[in-house]
Amino acid sequence: MKTIKVNIVTPDGPVYDSEVNMVIAKTVTGEMGILPGHIPTVAPLVVGAVRLDSDKQTELVAVSGGFVEIRPDKVTILTPSAETASSIDLARAKEALNRAEQRLQSKQSGIDFKRAELALKRAMNRINVKEGNI
Ligand code: ATP
C-alpha cells in the first residue's frame, strides 16, 4: 500500500514524523481524508484529533488548530501545540477542563470567554485523544 510522509511541528519542535497510509484532519470546513497523491492544498485546522492510519496501527495526535499543508508525497501540520496520546497527562487536561468550565460559568466581570472556550476545547480534545474517543 502506498504511503505519505507526515510531519507534525510545533514552536517547541517536531511531535510526529512518520510514513502512513492515510491522514484524517479536522479543518474549519470539515473533516479531510488525505491519501498519497493528494493535490497540493493548504487548510486551517480546528482544535481536534489528527488520525494517522498505517498498516500496523491507528494513532491519534491532539492538535490545537494551525494549518495543514498537503503535497502529493507529504503532509505538514504546523500547530501551536500537539500531543500524541501517550504523552498526554490526563489529570492535567481534566484540571484544565474544570478551570475552563468554572470560568465559563462565572458571573464575574473581566472573564475572557473566548479564551476560556478555547481552553475548554483543547482540554476536551486531549481527554478524547487520551481515551481514544473520537
Ligand atoms: P494547561 O492549562 O494545562 O497548560 P493549555 O491548554 O493552556 O493547558 P497549551 O497552552 O495548549 O496548554 O500548551 C502548553 C504546552 O503544554 C504545550 O507544549 C502542550 O503540548 C503542553 N500540554 C498542555 N496540556 C497538556 C496535557 N494535558 N498533557 C501533556 N502536555 C500538555
Side-chain angles (χ1 to χ4, degrees), residues 10 12 15 62 64 80-97 99 103 115 118-123 126-127:
T10 76
D12 296 329
V15 168
S64 57
S81 66
E83 304 87 33
T84 55
S86 62
S87 69
I88 290 173
D89 177 341
L90 188 60
R92 176 175 167 180
K94 285 182 173 172
E95 280 167 24
L97 178 68
R99 277 197 308 276
R103 287 194 183 115
R115 185 173 161 189
L118 280 169
L120 182 106
K121 283 186 182 165
R122 289 195 300 274
R126 288 176 177 128
I127 293 166

